[in-house]
Amino acid sequence: MPHVDLLELPYFQGISIDELVTLVDSMPPVEFREGDYIIREGENIPLFIVTRGQVAVEKMGPDNQLRTLAELDAPTVLGEIELFCELPAVSTVRALSRVSAFIMERSTFNLLRSSHNQAIGQFVFNVARVACHRLAVADQILATRPSNEDLPKMREDELAKMKEG
């Protein structure tokens, strides 16, 4: 895996070098080739911290075809929804180029969190900040939908489906 200054990634801001070493020691590196599926919707997955490459986030549409929702460049995280909400993968992610990442298993995350590891607390805050930006974009896209659509009802229905699944 190529050298990446993890302290420069937004997910590790505010974390000391010693704390970062502890985190990285618990996260094995992984590589994907262009076209590889990193995540498949419905699977149980770890958190991926992508340090190099580009990915497509895809979701099954009502026509049973995968629709590309986003193309994300490194650095980015994948699987934060699944990690924090303890859900199976809510989307499929495919490598658009060669991708390098670190993996944080849920068990590792839970162990670090239960031990009150300061770095994991800062990491969660940083991931939440990035996730909030993504949510703001999604809300902006929803706001452009036709005005006759009942967006609160659509959101409620989707949440109900998630709770059932």
Side-chain angles (χ1 to χ4, degrees):
M1 177 168 296
H3 169 73
V4 174
D5 190 351
L6 293 177
L7 287 174
E8 291 182 11
L9 300 183
Y11 314 107
F12 299 108
Q13 290 177 354
I15 297 175
S16 74
I17 189 74
D18 292 337
E19 292 170 326
L20 180 62
V21 167
T22 300
L23 278 181
V24 171
D25 283 348
S26 68
M27 300 185 303
V30 64
E31 298 269 340
F32 298 94
R33 294 180 313 242
E34 181 178 343
D36 285 353
Y37 284 94
I38 299 169
I39 297 171
R40 290 187 189 268
E41 192 170 341
E43 292 181 346
N44 289 318
I45 60 163
L47 179 82
F48 294 90
I49 302 161
V50 178
T51 58
R52 182 182 71 187
Q54 184 181 41
V55 300
V57 178
E58 302 169 331
K59 184 100 174 131
M60 194 62 68
D63 58 357
N64 288 325
Q65 297 295 315
L66 281 177
R67 296 186 61 194
T68 300
L69 303 179
E71 292 181 355
L72 304 174
D73 292 316
T76 192
V77 292
L78 308 170
E80 69 276 18
I81 293 168
E82 294 80 0
L83 179 71
F84 298 150
C85 297
E86 298 183 353
L87 294 171
V90 298
S91 59
T92 294
V93 178
R94 185 174 40 85
L96 295 176
S97 67
R98 191 166 158 207
V99 170
S100 300
F102 289 97
I103 295 175
M104 181 181 289
E105 296 290 345
R106 181 173 288 156
S107 58
T108 301
F109 173 79
N110 288 338
L111 180 65
L112 291 167
R113 196 172 52 89
S114 68
S115 69
H116 305 288
N117 179 288
Q118 285 184 296
I120 203 68
Q122 185 65 44
F123 176 78
V124 168
F125 177 79
N126 293 339
V127 170
R129 181 182 295 159
V130 172
C132 286
H133 285 113
R134 289 184 186 169
L135 180 59
V137 169
D139 284 350
Q140 184 60 39
I141 291 168
L142 276 175
T144 65
R145 301 285 302 187
S147 60
N148 64 339
E149 290 184 342
D150 187 350
L151 297 179
K153 176 73 170 118
M154 289 170 65
R155 186 182 296 266
E156 217 173 273
D157 290 347
E158 288 304 315
L159 282 172
K161 286 181 201 173
M162 285 181 180
K163 287 178 183 176
E164 289 171 9

